[in-house]
Every structure is written in structure tokens, then in C-alpha cells.
Amino acid sequence: MTKRFPEGFLWGGAIAANQAEGAYNVDGRGLVQTDVTTGGSVDKPRYATFVDKDGNPGKLPSMGHTAKLPEGATFAILEDEYYPNHEAVDFYHRYKEDIKLFAEMGYSVFRLSISWARIFPNGDDKEPNQAGLDFYRSVFEECRKYGIEPLVSIWHFDTPLALEEAYGGWTNRKLIDFYVTYAETIFKEYKDLVKYWLTFNEINNTVMFLDMFGDKATDQDYQEAYQHLHHQFVASARAVKIGHDINPDFQFGNMICGITFYPGTCDPKDILENQHKWEQNIFYCSDVQAKGRYGSYAKRLWKEHRVELEITEQDKQDLLAGTIDMYTFSYYMSSVVTTHQFDDTASGNFSIGAKNPYLTYSDWGWAHDPMGLQYYLEKIYDRYELPMMVVENGLGAFDTVEEDGSIHDSYRIDYHRAHIQAMAEAIENGVDLIAYTTWGCIDLVSAGTGEMRKRYGFIYVDKDDAGNGTFERTPKDSFYWYKQVIASNGEILE
Ligand code: BG6
């Protein structure tokens, strides 16, 4: 029998500004990292492009916001390169049509992010950009028209590029003030339109990157990454505090890239290694954001790489005063941790580990593990006892458009059905889960590879990896399936 979802459970979907909006140079928007990032594929990295100090073009493998420029170089858009995020799927001009389709599916929540560079094009501007403020007001009003609750990420991998260049990005403490000014501006502006806010998307990616680099990451890399994160923690906490003062009804979530880590064997060394993996990759960030202080193991993590963090007394007070109201996370897959030799490697979504013989894998190598979602929900709820939201979950897959224009994505339906069942089990086991927003509810540009063909949506967008297409929207089979899931509050999953 299908387990029940609580009344008022929020069903919907999620996108991010830089992956969906396009219109990268419209209405006063400043540039962000993805505007200088090329397309890639599962085995070809995306590149960040630049011009060096002598004016020569160059590119370096981009890991989103962590690409480091050579001395004297500046990020640049090069003429003979293709940048998939420039147009993305043109949500900027088509949001009314898209939100109407979301409403047709029955959404009660829609997660999107505000592009900081639309509001403060350079990040440190004295005044906000009115056109940017107007755009999001109109988007939120459109949501409200259909009774859809906006769930807003304040930052989704898109610090204004000008802040990266002028201040060196988040390793610089000044970024805290710029972020807080931006957050305060949008809280005041949208205080009657938005209730749910997420401070930093997948904040733990910064440590997960280090983990993926393995021995290639130097102590200096660790020093910078942990200081960068500390600044984001303080920025998040100060924003939460200010937000609660502006509107006590505001609910704030962190946003963790949720990966369930399993020990590869019952060798105690694997069990301990796995525990330490959870501490570094998952708890390091969420303990600070949920409890207002670093976990006891943090000192060990810093010591291992001779990290000396600058943490002021004021920072400590800020962290305590700005803890989150709900634990929100993305979930796509699990990963295996072992100290033993292994032949098959599996990687995806900022993690790398041994292949799990009990699971199947997507075309992009991501493990398919719905039970891992149940495990994650129960483990985390037990630790923090905060309301939880699954704010990203989905299957990146190739879709085929049939001659009559239909798209039969039964594989995507199977993926979501299994994850919804896992959520129901977790709820049955006491977890206070309040929302589910599937990732890429409409096809968008992949963050990791820059591809369009890695599709997550219930709505197909006619655009290919070279940017060709009409951008026309077509509901897939999953669209009608999800509509029924929502109408039955998760009871009809067939
Ligand atoms: C999450 C991000 O890591 O995973 C999204 O928050 C991203 O921005 C999603 O799109 C899926 O990853 P990818 O690389 O398949 O787009």
C-alpha cells in the first residue's frame, strides 16, 4: 500500500537562474562565472575562458566557481567559443508560459534562484538594478497568481564575476557584506511575496571538490576552501538573522549536496573512513548552519591540512544567531567509501568512490539509489530534528522525440516513483519532510557538463548542444504522470 504524504505537502520543481534564464546581458545584468564557461560532456570538461596579461586568449578546466586565473589574466567571452548558459532555455522571456505549465501540473511550490548579478551587476554597487528587481517581482507575482509558493535560492553558483576579479571571490571577507546587502535588499523587496529562502546552493561542494582532487589538493587549497566556506557560513547566518527581523514568517533553509556514503566493507577501517567522509562532506557545513557552531571533528580536519582559520568573536555570535529553520538538500545518488583496492570507480555530482554492485547507473554514471534517499532523510532528521525538504532530485537522461512530437520517458517516471516511495517510507518512520521539488522540472543546461541533452525535465525544450532549436516547450509523459501524483498527494504513483 502506498504510504501517505501529510496534508499540505509541497510538490513542485526546481531550476536555477544561470541554467534556465539566459538573457545573460539583458536589462543591466552583470556577468557571472557560467557566462565565461564553455560547454562540455561526460568526458570533456567545461572550460572557463580568459584573456591573459598580453591579450592572448586562453582557457582552463572549470569547476564552476573555483576556476583560478593565471596571474594578470581576466575572464573573457571569446568569439569562437559557444557558451550554453548565455541563452540557456530563455526562462527570462518565457517564464509566464513555463509557470503556466507548472501550474497545470499542479505545483504548490516552485524553486528558482535569483541572479545576484541582475540585482547588483558588480556585486558591490551602491544601488540595486531596478530592472532586475522588477523581473523577479513579476515572476513571483506570476507564481502567486496560480497559488504557487516560490522557494528562492539566494545564491546558486553565481557570484558576480566582478567580485571574483576585484576581490578574489569568497576567500575575501568583504564578500560577506556584499552578500548581506544583496540579501537584505531582496528580503525587503519581496517580503510579502516570498516566504521560503535558501541561502547557498550546495554549499558543501567546496569541500567535496577538495575531496575529489585527492592528493592533488594542496594545504593552501584547503586553507582557501575552508576560509571561503567560513565566510559563506557567516554571510548565511547574518542573512538569516536579518531576514527574520524583516519578516518573522520567513523560513530559511541551508542547501546541502546530499550524498549517502556507504562503507565498502565491514572492515572497521572502512567504517571509520566512511564516518569521516560524512563529517567532512556533509556535516561540516550543516552542523554550522543548523547548530550555529563547528562540529568537534572540525579541528581534526583543519589540523590534517595545517589550516588556520580566521574566525572572529563576532563571527561566532553571528553563527549562533542565524541558524536555519529547515534542512534542505539535493539528492541524486549514493557513493561507496573504502580503504581497500577496487577496480571499478563511480563518480558523479562532486563525489568519487567505488562502484556499488547492488546498484544501476545512469548514462552519466550516477548511481540510482532511492533507498539511499530514505537512509539520508532518516539519518539527518535524527541529527537535527528540523523540517526537511528535498529540493533537487532527478534523472539526467537522453530523451527521444517521436515523429508525432511525443516524448516517452518511462525511465524518468521510474526514477521519480522510486524516490517518492522512499520519501513516503521516511515519513512513515517519523521524518518531518515537507516538500519535494524535482530538479530541472523543465529541461535546462547541465551544470556539470553544459549539455542540453542531459535532460531532467518533465517539459522538453527544443534546443540542442550547439544552441540550435525553436525553444518550444512540450510536456513529456512524465508531465502527465507527475500531475496525477500531485493531484493524489503522492498516492497514485502508477
Ligand atoms: C546539483 C546542482 O549539483 O545538481 C544543479 O545544484 C545541477 O545546479 C544538478 O544542475 C544536476 O547536475 P548536472 O551536472 O547534471 O546539471
Side-chain angles (χ1 to χ4, degrees):
M1 200 192 89
T2 311
K3 305 256 172 15
R4 282 175 191 280
F5 281 83
E7 212 174 300
F9 186 84
L10 297 166
W11 297 96
I15 62 167
N18 74 86
Q19 292 170 259
E21 284 177 6
Y24 81 105
N25 56 358
V26 166
D27 292 340
R29 178 183 178 279
L31 292 182
V32 301
Q33 184 86 47
T34 43
D35 299 325
V36 292
T37 304
T38 65
S41 69
V42 69
D43 20 61
K44 187 178 137 231
R46 303 185 74 180
Y47 290 97
T49 53
F50 61 83
V51 173
D52 73 12
K53 60 179 178 354
D54 303 317
N56 301 312
K59 49 185 177 179
L60 71 161
S62 157
M63 291 295 263
H65 46 283
T66 60
K68 274 190 201 146
L69 282 176
E71 193 69 33
T74 48
F75 287 113
I77 294 169
L78 305 179
E79 260 184 26
D80 48 0
E81 291 291 347
Y82 171 63
Y83 300 91
N85 300 72
H86 281 189
E87 273 188 300
V89 293
D90 200 27
F91 177 79
Y92 191 77
H93 295 111
R94 297 167 194 250
Y95 65 94
K96 289 194 178 168
E97 181 190 348
D98 293 343
I99 293 170
K100 189 164 183 246
L101 285 167
F102 301 154
E104 201 183 317
M105 269 188 277
Y107 280 19
S108 44
V109 61
F110 170 46
R111 175 179 174 225
L112 71 163
S113 70
I114 291 182
S115 168
W116 185 349
R118 280 201 200 282
I119 309 299
F120 289 98
N122 298 295
D124 60 356
D125 314 73
K126 290 277 167 279
E127 296 298 328
N129 172 29
Q130 191 58 44
L133 292 173
D134 293 346
F135 169 66
Y136 292 106
R137 170 168 294 279
S138 176
V139 171
F140 299 144
E141 282 173 354
E142 198 65 17
C143 291
R144 291 270 168 222
K145 188 168 114 187
Y146 297 104
I148 297 174
E149 191 77 56
L151 165 62
V152 178
S153 314
I154 301 169
W155 179 96
H156 194 120
F157 304 156
D158 56 357
T159 305
L161 206 52
L163 290 183
E164 304 280 358
E165 290 182 338
Y167 300 90
W170 279 98
T171 47
N172 190 330
R173 180 169 276 275
K174 289 194 175 125
L175 272 271
I176 300 174
D177 287 334
F178 299 137
Y179 175 93
V180 170
T181 302
Y182 156 54
E184 187 170 358
T185 305
I186 55 177
F187 295 158
K188 286 184 174 153
E189 184 74 22
Y190 308 123
K191 70 176 186 326
D192 300 321
L193 285 167
V194 178
K195 173 180 173 190
Y196 295 108
W197 302 90
L198 310 182
T199 55
F200 284 92
N201 182 68
E202 292 193 340
I203 192 167
N204 56 326
N205 284 349
T206 300
V207 268
M208 306 248 283
F209 276 136
L210 290 175
D211 209 29
M212 279 189 81
F213 288 142
D215 295 343
K216 287 197 207 103
T218 63
D219 286 352
Q220 182 60 22
D221 291 331
Y222 275 89
Q223 172 69 38
E224 286 175 14
Y226 282 132
Q227 192 66 54
H228 161 134
L229 267 179
H230 178 71
H231 294 153
Q232 292 192 332
F233 294 150
V234 175
S236 169
R238 283 180 49 195
V240 169
K241 170 78 174 61
I242 289 170
H244 281 150
D245 290 345
I246 291 172
N247 184 345
D249 288 338
F250 279 177
Q251 294 288 296
F252 285 94
N254 56 342
M255 201 309 205
I256 295 288
C257 176
I259 294 200
T260 294
F261 293 101
Y262 299 127
T265 71
C266 52
D267 180 345
K269 284 195 200 120
D270 277 10
I271 306 298
L272 199 61
E273 182 84 355
N274 189 53
Q275 179 170 308
H276 288 179
K277 183 74 89 176
W278 277 89
E279 288 171 354
Q280 181 178 351
N281 285 1
I282 307 291
F283 299 146
Y284 183 81
C285 294
S286 48
D287 279 354
V288 178
Q289 294 189 288
K291 297 178 175 178
R293 57 180 162 73
Y294 283 97
S296 49
Y297 50 82
K299 286 203 175 102
R300 172 183 59 78
L301 290 171
W302 297 331
K303 205 167 144 201
E304 275 170 10
H305 295 282
R306 286 163 282 280
V307 169
E308 291 196 18
L309 281 193
E310 186 200 73
I311 303 177
T312 68
E313 277 313 308
Q314 185 61 49
D315 290 349
K316 289 182 190 166
Q317 289 172 28
D318 288 342
L319 292 179
L320 267 176
T323 53
I324 47 162
D325 305 302
M326 48 192 196
Y327 185 106
T328 80
F329 67 106
S330 62
Y331 179 84
Y332 294 89
M333 48 172 275
S334 57
S335 185
V336 176
V337 178
T338 180
T339 58
H340 295 262
Q341 288 289 334
F342 53 92
D343 297 331
D344 283 343
T345 302
S347 63
N349 212 15
F350 311 103
S351 80
I352 187 157
K355 199 155 190 174
N356 188 331
Y358 301 98
L359 301 177
T360 55
Y361 287 81
S362 79
D363 289 326
W364 276 264
W366 295 27
H368 180 163
D369 182 13
M371 205 174 270
L373 173 58
Q374 182 184 348
Y375 182 89
Y376 193 93
L377 281 163
E378 294 180 7
K379 186 176 174 96
I380 296 291
Y381 188 66
D382 191 44
R383 191 176 181 100
Y384 302 115
E385 293 196 336
L386 288 172
M388 296 183 75
M389 289 185 172
V390 177
V391 295
E392 282 185 33
N393 172 240
L395 177 70
F398 297 107
D399 285 336
T400 306
V401 183
E402 305 296 336
E403 267 181 24
D404 65 357
S406 57
I407 299 115
H408 305 306
D409 55 342
S410 55
Y411 36 88
R412 187 169 291 111
I413 294 174
D414 291 344
Y415 179 96
H416 284 283
R417 178 191 297 115
H419 286 81
I420 292 173
Q421 279 163 340
M423 295 189 311
E425 293 291 344
I427 291 170
E428 180 82 0
N429 206 27
V431 174
D432 183 15
L433 180 64
I434 59 172
Y436 179 59
T437 57
T438 68
W439 178 246
C441 44
I442 180 164
D443 291 344
L444 39 63
V445 177
S446 158
T449 68
E451 292 166 298
M452 273 305 298
R453 65 186 184 150
K454 187 180 186 189
R455 296 177 184 274
Y456 285 89
F458 296 165
I459 300 166
Y460 187 88
V461 176
D462 178 29
K463 181 191 171 188
D464 68 15
D465 285 343
N468 303 310
T470 60
F471 287 68
E472 196 187 324
R473 276 66 169 145
T474 309
K476 305 178 191 177
D477 285 359
S478 52
F479 178 101
Y480 302 104
W481 171 81
Y482 195 44
K483 183 175 178 173
Q484 181 179 265
V485 171
I486 297 176
S488 66
N489 197 26
E491 285 208 23
I492 302 177
L493 296 176
E494 290 317 311

